[in-house]
């Protein structure tokens, strides 16, 4: 899962959501029609009880006034609300997103991971996390330039996203490290997904400045178990598994076993 507009619709009020979905003009027309119907209905009831009959002139006046006034006030107000909502969404997206890879950033990941830890602890569910680190990032930077290193990060991020479920959370953890959150997933299941990702990375045809670049990564996986007291324990186990993968030569997935 990546930063997406649908994520930011959660928790918003009804009006901004309607404006996003249907646009300012359509919402203005709908509100105007609603106001006209209410005005005509209320006027008809009042005329009936006062005069015992409903006059056509009264109905026309009750429809004409809101039909003229409502669009003028509603359109400008809705347009302002829509602009403010889009600006707020943009700020929220920026605060959750890594600028280079356009994946989630570390802060957002840790917030979601803490929520998942609390849910797993409360209901006895499980989840897994994985840390991915380049084996040869320094070689790419030194041998091809830092721009090539940035391009390699983008390529790896793309491959990871293509192989993840909508419910999974993927983020740039820092530098040349990425981190995964797999809800309702044990280490074996997470490992199967990560092996597919590693297979795709191993076949990555990546050129920069006309020169081929080989990307190598290592991955460490750990799963939540009930004896853990906080998320940092899951993180430490994944980190331990990552360095175990590197000690074994890299370009592989290693799961931590308790």
């Amino acid at each position: 899962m990546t930063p997406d507009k649908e994520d930011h619709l959660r928790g918003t009020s009804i009006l901004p959501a309607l404006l996003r979905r249907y646009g300012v003009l359509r919402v203005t027309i709908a509100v105007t029609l609603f106001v006209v119907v209410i005005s005509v209905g209320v006027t008809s009831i009042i005329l009936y009880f006062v005069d015992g009959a409903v006059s056509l002139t009264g109905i026309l006046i009750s429809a004409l006034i809101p039909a003229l006034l409502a669009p003028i006030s509603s359109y400008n107000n809705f347009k302002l609300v829509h602009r403010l909502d889009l600006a707020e969404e943009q700020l929220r997206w920026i605060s959750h997103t890594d600028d280079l890879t356009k994946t989630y950033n570390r802060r957002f990941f840790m917030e979601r991971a803490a929520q998942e830890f609390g849910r797993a602890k409360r209901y006895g569910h499980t989840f897994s996390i994985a840390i991915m680190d380049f084996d040869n990032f320094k070689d790419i930077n030194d041998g091809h330039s830092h721009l090539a290193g940035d391009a390699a990060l983008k390529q790896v991020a793309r491959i990871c996203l293509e192989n993840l479920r909508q419910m999974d959370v993927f983020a740039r953890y820092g530098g040349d490290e990425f981190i995964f959150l797999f809800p309702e997933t044990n280490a074996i299941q997470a490992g199967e997904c990560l092996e597919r990702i590693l297979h795709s990375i191993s076949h990555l045809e990546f050129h920069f400045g006309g020169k081929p670049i080989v990307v190598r990564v290592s991955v460490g996986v750990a799963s939540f178990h009930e004896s853990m007291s906080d998320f940092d324990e899951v993180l430490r186990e994944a980190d331990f598994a990552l360095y175990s993968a590197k000690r074994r030569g890299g370009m592989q997935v290693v799961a931590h076993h308790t």
Side-chain angles (χ1 to χ4, degrees):
M1 184 172 64
T2 57
D4 192 278
K5 289 183 178 180
E6 291 299 320
D7 291 334
H8 305 315
L9 286 176
R10 301 168 188 164
T12 59
S13 61
I14 296 175
L15 179 57
L18 289 174
L19 291 171
R20 290 188 190 189
R21 183 165 185 175
Y22 299 107
V24 174
L25 182 59
R26 288 183 180 179
V27 173
T28 301
I29 293 172
V31 169
T32 300
L33 291 175
F34 177 77
V35 172
V36 168
V37 170
I38 294 298
S39 177
V40 170
V42 171
T43 301
S44 299
I45 293 172
I46 293 174
L47 290 175
Y48 181 80
F49 279 102
V50 172
D51 299 331
V54 178
S55 68
L56 180 60
T57 302
I59 295 300
L60 290 176
I61 292 175
S62 67
L64 185 61
I65 292 175
L68 293 175
L69 297 180
I72 297 174
S73 59
S74 298
Y75 183 81
N76 289 331
N77 289 335
F78 291 162
K79 194 171 183 180
L80 178 60
V81 170
H82 188 52
R83 285 178 177 176
L84 291 173
D85 182 54
L86 291 178
E88 182 181 355
E89 178 194 356
Q90 183 67 17
L91 289 173
R92 193 159 47 238
W93 186 84
I94 291 172
S95 71
H96 291 168
T97 308
D98 174 64
D99 185 57
L100 177 65
T101 61
K102 305 307 180 206
T103 61
Y104 285 119
N105 58 24
R106 178 172 180 158
R107 183 177 70 173
F108 180 81
F109 179 89
M110 296 302 288
E111 290 175 359
R112 290 295 297 271
Q115 294 171 3
E116 187 64 26
F117 183 89
R119 192 177 70 87
K121 193 78 172 175
R122 187 178 306 112
Y123 299 111
H125 296 178
T126 190
F127 68 88
S128 297
I129 69 165
I131 303 176
M132 174 186 286
D133 186 44
F134 276 60
D135 296 327
N136 62 334
F137 193 66
K138 187 175 186 301
D139 294 337
I140 294 174
N141 278 339
D142 293 346
H144 299 275
S145 80
H146 289 280
L147 291 177
D150 289 347
L153 290 171
K154 293 178 183 178
Q155 291 287 338
V156 168
R158 175 185 59 79
I159 290 173
C160 291
L161 291 172
E162 289 174 352
N163 286 276
L164 294 176
R165 304 168 298 180
Q166 183 65 30
M167 66 189 296
D168 300 328
V169 181
F170 176 64
R172 186 180 179 192
Y173 195 49
D176 57 332
E177 283 189 328
F178 293 99
I179 192 164
F180 304 76
L181 172 65
F182 299 98
E184 301 293 340
T185 307
N186 60 37
I188 295 175
Q189 295 166 328
E192 291 172 353
C193 173
L194 293 163
E195 288 288 0
R196 291 194 299 270
I197 290 174
L198 221 65
H199 178 76
S200 297
I201 293 174
S202 69
H203 289 81
L204 176 62
E205 296 182 0
F206 174 43
H207 290 75
F208 189 87
K211 298 179 181 179
I213 295 177
V214 176
V215 176
R216 293 176 55 84
V217 298
S218 294
V219 186
V221 188
S223 294
F224 165 81
H225 49 82
E226 293 183 358
S227 64
M228 293 176 167
S229 59
D230 57 42
F231 178 71
D232 286 345
E233 291 188 49
V234 195
L235 205 56
R236 282 194 293 270
E237 290 191 359
D239 202 44
F240 182 85
L242 170 64
Y243 283 100
S244 179
K246 287 184 174 293
R247 285 195 299 268
R248 297 179 189 182
M251 203 56 192
Q252 58 186 287
V253 179
V254 172
H256 184 275
H257 297 285
T258 54

